[in-house]
Amino acid sequence: MTVEIKKLSNQDLDTFIELIRVFEDVFEMKNFVLPDHKHLQQLLAKDSFFVFVALENNKVVGGLTTYTLEQYYSILPVVYIYDLAVLTNYQRQGIGKLLIASLNVYCKEIGIQEVFVQADEIDDYALDFYRATGGTPEKVVHFTYPLNTPPV
């Protein structure tokens, strides 16, 4: 199996949508409604939003999305991995590790201070995965404040 890791540009809307469909499948997102293409295109065009995909024979088999956060403690920004998934049939073959490694190389080159990601405490597979890719765990509690329901 030959997998190519690619950082998407604003010209790669169809590939980005393919990745969102991977997320929908892997995360078992019931009743998911894809936002309109204009919104996704605008997001993809932002310099503060990175998308990396894993391709096998030009088919998206995995990927990750990130947001760049400017800091006030440092002049260097940090990057937050928002989503990372690999299709079930392609898991445990090193694709996730390739995605993390590619992101880290890119972020180091552009002067990012650190990359971080959240994982649920009960998700042993994710915790083991992030440890295996060199991540250092921190014990935190995540709070959310649901404010608006996205339009359907």
Side-chain angles (χ1 to χ4, degrees), residues 36-86:
D36 66 68
H37 288 197
K38 180 181 177 188
H39 170 75
L40 296 175
Q41 185 66 61
Q42 289 172 338
L43 184 59
L44 198 54
K46 290 181 185 271
D47 290 337
S48 60
F49 182 71
F50 310 147
V51 180
F52 284 77
V53 294
L55 302 163
E56 184 190 42
N57 297 323
N58 293 318
K59 174 190 171 198
V60 175
V61 297
L64 60 79
T65 57
T66 71
Y67 293 94
T68 303
L69 304 171
E70 297 295 326
Q71 299 190 84
Y72 45 85
Y73 293 121
S74 171
I75 61 169
L76 298 177
V78 296
V79 166
Y80 171 62
I81 299 172
Y82 189 75
D83 276 328
L84 187 154
V86 174

Side-chain angles (χ1 to χ4, degrees), residues 1-56:
M1 171 178 69
T2 304
V3 173
E4 171 194 359
I5 304 298
K6 177 183 178 185
K7 181 184 177 294
L8 298 187
S9 74
N10 63 350
Q11 304 298 311
D12 296 313
L13 179 61
D14 291 339
T15 307
F16 181 35
I17 290 170
E18 236 185 296
L19 175 60
I20 295 169
R21 295 301 185 196
V22 168
F23 292 154
E24 181 182 15
D25 178 43
V26 173
F27 301 147
E28 299 176 352
M29 299 164 58
K30 305 293 183 217
N31 304 314
F32 172 71
V33 177
L34 188 72
D36 66 68
H37 288 197
K38 180 181 177 188
H39 170 75
L40 296 175
Q41 185 66 61
Q42 289 172 338
L43 184 59
L44 198 54
K46 290 181 185 271
D47 290 337
S48 60
F49 182 71
F50 310 147
V51 180
F52 284 77
V53 294
L55 302 163
E56 184 190 42

Side-chain angles (χ1 to χ4, degrees), residues 49-143:
F49 182 71
F50 310 147
V51 180
F52 284 77
V53 294
L55 302 163
E56 184 190 42
N57 297 323
N58 293 318
K59 174 190 171 198
V60 175
V61 297
L64 60 79
T65 57
T66 71
Y67 293 94
T68 303
L69 304 171
E70 297 295 326
Q71 299 190 84
Y72 45 85
Y73 293 121
S74 171
I75 61 169
L76 298 177
V78 296
V79 166
Y80 171 62
I81 299 172
Y82 189 75
D83 276 328
L84 187 154
V86 174
L87 287 172
T88 305
N89 293 344
Y90 292 86
Q91 291 177 4
R92 294 177 174 85
Q93 298 178 35
I95 295 170
K97 287 182 181 182
L98 284 172
L99 286 163
I100 293 282
S102 297
L103 172 67
N104 286 343
V105 166
Y106 177 76
C107 287
K108 186 170 183 159
E109 288 174 358
I110 64 169
I112 300 297
Q113 183 174 349
E114 72 179 18
V115 173
F116 69 102
V117 63
Q118 294 176 189
D120 291 331
E121 273 190 303
I122 61 170
D123 189 345
D124 291 333
Y125 176 70
L127 297 175
D128 291 343
F129 169 75
Y130 290 120
R131 281 186 189 100
T133 59
T136 304
E138 294 180 3
K139 189 95 167 161
V140 297
V141 177
H142 176 94
F143 292 90

